[in-house]
Amino acid sequence: IVTSDILGNIAVRLDTLGRYAEAADIGEQAIAMSELVNGPRHPYTLVRMSNQALVLLRQRKLEAAAELFAETIRRARQTWPATDPRLAFYIQNYAQTLELLGRHDEALPLLQEAADNTRAGIGAESLEFVGRLYGVGKWHIDKGNYAEAIRVLSEAKDLALRLQDENGYYVVLASLALGGAQLRSGELQEAERNLRHVIANRVRMGRNLVVRAAGWLALLYAVEGRSDEGMPYIRDALADDEGTNNASLVAPLTVATEFFRLANDLGESLTLGERAQRIAEEQLPPRNWVAALASEQYARTLLAAGRAPEARPLVERPATDLEGAFGSGDPRVASLRALIE
C-alpha cells in the first residue's frame, strides 16, 4: 500500500537529487493523500505542503511557492500556538520567498514575527533563534541597510559561538552573511576574516555557500587592488559553470563582472556581464534585486568601455523595479539613477 508518508519520502529524495519536476508531481500526490487520510490541518499535511513549496521555490516558480507557503501558514496558525517552532520555520521561508519576488516590505514583519515567536517559544539561547536572526540580517543586506545587518548578524554569530564550536554550521553561516555586509560597508579586514572562515569549512558547508564566499573574497581583493590574489577565488566561484543558463548563476556572474572590471579586464567583464544580464531577464522576476545588480554591474562595465548609449536602457528598468521594491530612498536606486544621469 502506497501511503502519504511513502510518497512524501520519495518526493524529498527526488528533491535531494535535483529532480524537481518529479518531486513536485509526487509531492502533489502526497499532499492530496494526506489531506484525505489525516485532514487538511494535520501536521503531516503541513509538512508535505511546506516541502512542496520548497520544491516550487527551487524550480523558480516563486508565485506558486509563495501561495503555498501562505496557505500552509494559514492552516498552521489554526493548528499550533504562535510559539511553535514549525510555524516560525514556515513563516521565515515564506518571507524569504516574498523577498525574491521583490515584496520586501511584506517580508520584514514576517521575519520579525518568526524571530519574536522563536525567542518566546524556544528561547533566545537556541540555534533556531540564530536562524531567525540570520533571516532578519539577510533582509537588511538585501535592503542595503549594512550597518543594521552587521549589528544583527554579529549578534547571530556571537550567539552561535556560545552554542557551537567555531566550525559549527550556524557560526559559519552567520560568518558568510556578516562578511558580505562588511564587504559592502567597507570593513574589509573583518570581511576577509569571516569569508576565509567560510571557505575553510567548504566541505561542511556545501558548494552554494562556498561560491558566495569565494566570489565576495575575490571582490574584496579587487577592491584593494590585489586582483592577482583574488583570481583563484573568482575562478572557484565560477567553477560550477558548465555553460548552462541557470538562474543560480546570476549572482556569481555579477560578482565576476565587477571583479574583472576592477581588475581592468573589460573584455572578460563585458562577456560575463552580458550573460548575467541575459539570464536574469529570462529567469528572474521583476523587482528582483539580484537582477537589478546584474544590470547595474553590466551597465558600469559598458560605461567603462565607452559604450554609454547601450548602458542607459539597462539601468532604467532595474532602477524603476528597485524603487518599487525598496522605495526611492534606497541607496541602490540612487546609484542606478546616478548612472542614468
Side-chain angles (χ1 to χ4, degrees), residues 64-323:
E67 290 177 7
L68 189 52
F69 274 132
E71 177 60 21
T72 305
I73 291 167
R74 187 188 69 79
R75 297 186 191 184
R77 291 188 192 280
Q78 298 173 345
T79 305
W80 298 317
T83 54
D84 190 285
R86 292 166 291 186
L87 176 57
F89 177 73
Y90 297 158
I91 290 172
Q92 181 156 328
N93 284 336
Y94 177 43
Q96 291 171 341
T97 304
L98 293 178
E99 287 187 78
L100 291 173
L101 287 166
R103 295 161 60 183
H104 295 268
D105 289 342
E106 297 175 60
L108 182 58
L110 291 168
L111 291 167
Q112 291 175 330
E113 177 188 356
D116 291 342
N117 290 349
T118 298
R119 182 193 290 111
I122 298 178
E125 293 289 318
S126 65
L127 292 176
E128 288 83 358
F129 188 60
V130 174
R132 305 299 166 252
L133 288 175
Y134 172 84
V136 174
K138 183 70 168 53
W139 183 92
H140 283 293
I141 292 177
D142 294 350
K143 180 75 171 175
N145 299 336
Y146 300 124
E148 182 63 12
I150 289 170
R151 185 192 69 78
V152 173
L153 292 166
S154 295
E155 180 184 351
K157 183 178 178 180
D158 289 345
L159 173 57
L161 281 168
R162 295 200 297 271
L163 301 170
Q164 297 181 313
D165 65 40
E166 65 177 8
N167 297 318
Y169 177 84
Y170 283 95
V171 175
V172 181
L173 184 66
S175 296
L176 172 63
L178 182 56
Q182 290 165 334
L183 170 62
R184 293 303 181 185
S185 66
E187 298 179 18
L188 301 185
Q189 185 174 359
E190 288 299 310
E192 180 178 3
R193 182 173 62 83
N194 278 306
L195 295 173
R196 280 189 170 280
H197 185 56
V198 178
I199 293 172
N201 285 273
R202 63 188 307 130
V203 174
R204 178 180 301 199
M205 295 305 295
R207 181 65 187 157
N208 288 339
L209 298 183
V210 171
V211 163
R212 275 191 278 168
W216 285 343
L217 189 57
L219 191 58
L220 183 152
Y221 287 136
V223 168
E224 292 186 327
R226 301 156 60 191
S227 300
D228 288 346
E229 293 179 60
M231 192 65 69
Y233 293 104
I234 204 66
R235 296 301 183 196
D236 189 12
L238 297 175
D240 293 336
D241 183 6
E242 300 176 350
T244 58
N245 290 334
N246 190 297
S248 64
L249 287 172
V250 174
L253 286 171
T254 299
V255 170
T257 299
E258 185 176 1
F259 171 84
F260 282 106
R261 186 179 68 251
L262 291 172
N264 296 314
D265 187 343
L266 293 183
E268 186 71 5
S269 182
L270 286 167
T271 298
L272 296 171
E274 187 278 331
R275 186 160 169 236
Q277 168 69 20
R278 176 164 40 85
I279 298 172
E281 285 184 347
E282 292 173 354
Q283 300 200 30
L284 295 179
R287 299 174 61 187
N288 182 277
W289 71 275
V290 176
L293 288 178
S295 295
E296 178 189 0
Q297 291 305 324
Y298 184 36
R300 288 185 183 278
T301 300
L302 287 169
L303 288 171
R307 295 163 57 180
E310 298 172 67
R312 185 180 183 88
L314 285 174
V315 171
E316 288 177 337
R317 178 180 170 185
T320 301
D321 288 345
L322 277 181
E323 188 169 355

